[in-house]
Amino acid sequence: MSASAVFILDMKGKPLICRNYKGDVNMAEIDHFMPLLMQKEEEGALTPLLTHGRVHFLWIKHSNLYLVATTLKNANASLVYSFLYKAVEVFSEYFKELEEESIRDNFVIVYELLDELMDFGFPQTTDSKILQEYITQQGNKLETGKSRVPPTVTNAVSWRSEGIKYKKNEVFIDVIESVNLLVSPGKLRVGVGVNANGSVLLSEIVGTIKLKVFLSGMPELRLGLNDRVLFELTGRNKNKSVELEDVKFHQCVRLSRFDNDRTISFIPPDGDFELMSYRLNTQVKPLIWIESVIEKFSHSRVEIMVKAKGQFKKQSVANSVEIAIPVPSDADSPRFKTSVGSAKYLPEKNVVIWNIKSFPGGKEYLMRAHFGLPSVEKEEVEGRPPISVKFEIPYFTVSGIQVRYMKIIEKSGYQALPWVRYITQSGDYQLRTS
């Protein structure tokens, strides 16, 4: 059993549009949703699933809208939530911005999409590219072609249309890794250096492989990675391989083939899509190491000194580095001195943002900030927030993952060129201060 009905509500809980799929839940039950949500919020017990009698409300919030699915017992909750998020993605593809106004302006197309997205409470066609083949939009109007089921829906390959042609056949592969990191205090003392207690508490790499496909016909692609399990199966040297965890694939990948011999074989959708994601729980050396010291003087001023060091290979460069340093909430009269880049004070967030446009590996930079403090110092009730860092390093991966080959097989035998790009960027990258 899955969703009985789907509602889109405004911020006050008033239904803007709804679709009853099964008829087993009274549509008036939605009137209980907002009072129940407000009650749970006041109690501090708000959950993504609310219940009134035998009816369950599975809901998500997006912009100034609530998307709510109602259902009775034994529903597949993960399926319903996946559907709601996918519906948001599809509506956003059609309207650019999904909000109350765009729903009101396009209610006809929303009804059409709800009809195609789900049937009798079960998700059906949820690929926006396929939906756009037979539900097209001009401004706020809906155009529909002849009453027919597009071949992509009945095809075994429902994510790709037939008859696609390109003058130049190319595939662009982006391997993007985000580094999540939490580091304990590494304190900088004048004339002393780093406190030996500074250490990595948590580190994780979350990776995605995204493709941009411009290929004619119905090509079959085979992607080879330096996957440790594959190297073990084939007797290769494991030293330059990586062990991928929590691997998730796009629906186009033949999972049985991957389970048998670790081959990533697929017929790709046209254009942009995410082929796979993965995670590595591994000890990561901080790519940008931060040392800091904050000194207060007689309740009249505070001085902050921060040193940033690039701990990645010298031939690589981190771009658009942004270091956010927390400061006391009662600080004022900021003055800055930086060895590179620029610093600015954001009083509404109680942080100093140090921007460095280009940060080569192996380099060290220093930033000093001076703030005035009121004569009566405000007591610090909570601990100091961590320093956070944002960055992007092109042509570099932390895990060492590599695209070993990309084979493109198509019955017409055309030649196609694959392009590979590697990018490492910051995820949740924080360094605690002492």
Side-chain angles (χ1 to χ4, degrees), residues 5 47 59 76 99 234 237 271 275 301-302 353 370 415 422:
T47 61
W59 64 279
N76 185 336
E99 54 187 29
T234 55
N237 186 347
L275 175 69
R301 74 182 197 276
V302 60
I353 302 294
H370 179 282
Q415 295 297 310
Y422 299 94

Side-chain angles (χ1 to χ4, degrees), residues 184-198 289-295 303-309 354 364-368 384 387 432-434:
S184 68
K187 191 174 181 181
L188 176 65
R189 298 191 182 278
V190 179
V192 178
V194 187
N195 186 337
N197 293 328
W289 179 258
I290 304 292
E291 303 161 19
S292 67
V293 64
I294 298 179
E295 292 187 84
E303 290 186 358
I304 302 170
M305 184 162 59
V306 177
K307 184 168 78 170
K309 181 179 180 180
W354 180 15
E364 289 186 5
Y365 298 118
L366 198 65
M367 189 278 290
R368 293 176 184 268
R384 189 176 296 128
I387 293 173
R432 290 178 179 170
T433 54
S434 54

Side-chain angles (χ1 to χ4, degrees), residues 173-175 209 222-226 400-406 418-422:
I173 307 167
D174 279 346
V175 180
I209 297 181
R222 292 176 190 167
L223 178 69
L225 304 173
N226 55 335
I401 192 170
Q402 291 179 352
V403 175
R404 295 175 48 244
Y405 64 82
M406 168 66 87
W419 303 88
V420 184
R421 180 173 62 170
Y422 299 94

Side-chain angles (χ1 to χ4, degrees), residues 381-408:
V381 180
E382 299 178 355
R384 189 176 296 128
I387 293 173
S388 61
V389 185
K390 295 180 181 178
F391 58 85
E392 184 174 282
I393 308 174
Y395 316 114
F396 174 78
T397 57
V398 184
S399 68
I401 192 170
Q402 291 179 352
V403 175
R404 295 175 48 244
Y405 64 82
M406 168 66 87
K407 293 180 180 176
I408 302 166

